Amino acid sequence: MMSLSEQLTQELRKLYHFKLTNIPELDQPVLIVLDYSPLVDQIPISIAFDYSGGPKCWLSVCRVRMIDGQGPSFYQKYREFCFENRRFYPYSIQSFPMSIFQNINEFTSACRILYRHAYLD
């Protein structure tokens, strides 16, 4: 399993409620961001990233919206799971670069991109 740098771990602790963990239903460890929203007054969602850099993510929303014809695609093969009283739904995405796990700005950008696709209505 890849490990986060101490610097990134400290930056994540300042900005996010996150866990790097194994989920029994999954074959790989995931990095889970709990209750994320870009702004304080927006509805929070939770996001799990395939930490191996694969084209997988999980969102705590069951529907997403396409933006300019692009967005995460529901992909049941990756399996749903529950973590800390939140249900995570599986999505296939174009892989984020591994640099999101090395650079806090890129990680934040990935979270914002996924948040924009979440259907919250």
Side-chain angles (χ1 to χ4, degrees):
M1 176 171 85
M2 182 179 179
S3 63
L4 297 174
S5 71
E6 184 59 35
Q7 179 183 356
L8 183 64
T9 301
Q10 289 176 7
E11 291 169 337
L12 286 169
R13 282 187 188 124
K14 290 178 192 174
L15 299 172
Y16 301 99
H17 178 205
F18 79 99
K19 305 278 179 153
L20 181 60
T21 189
N22 289 306
I23 302 294
E25 295 88 348
L26 306 179
D27 299 329
Q28 71 284 335
V30 290
L31 173 60
I32 300 175
V33 175
L34 298 166
D35 303 326
Y36 169 78
S37 67
L39 300 171
V40 174
D41 61 345
Q42 291 181 309
I43 298 168
I45 67 169
S46 296
I47 304 168
F49 292 93
D50 175 357
Y51 199 57
S52 66
K56 304 172 189 173
C57 72
W58 292 260
L59 302 174
S60 62
V61 295
C62 60
R63 293 179 17 195
V64 296
R65 68 181 95 230
M66 294 292 139
I67 300 172
D68 296 328
Q70 296 184 359
S73 300
F74 184 77
Y75 198 66
Q76 193 165 349
K77 181 180 175 184
Y78 296 154
R79 295 184 234 139
E80 291 180 20
F81 66 89
C82 288
F83 182 78
E84 294 191 4
N85 297 317
R86 294 159 183 89
R87 178 161 297 281
F88 287 81
Y89 300 92
Y91 291 91
S92 178
I93 54 171
Q94 291 185 352
S95 297
F96 286 112
M98 288 303 289
S99 57
I100 71 165
F101 302 115
Q102 300 161 359
N103 180 299
I104 193 65
N105 293 326
E106 289 186 39
F107 185 83
T108 297
S109 177
C111 289
R112 285 186 178 148
I113 288 167
L114 290 170
Y115 188 89
R116 278 191 304 236
H117 288 284
Y119 189 81
L120 302 171
D121 299 328

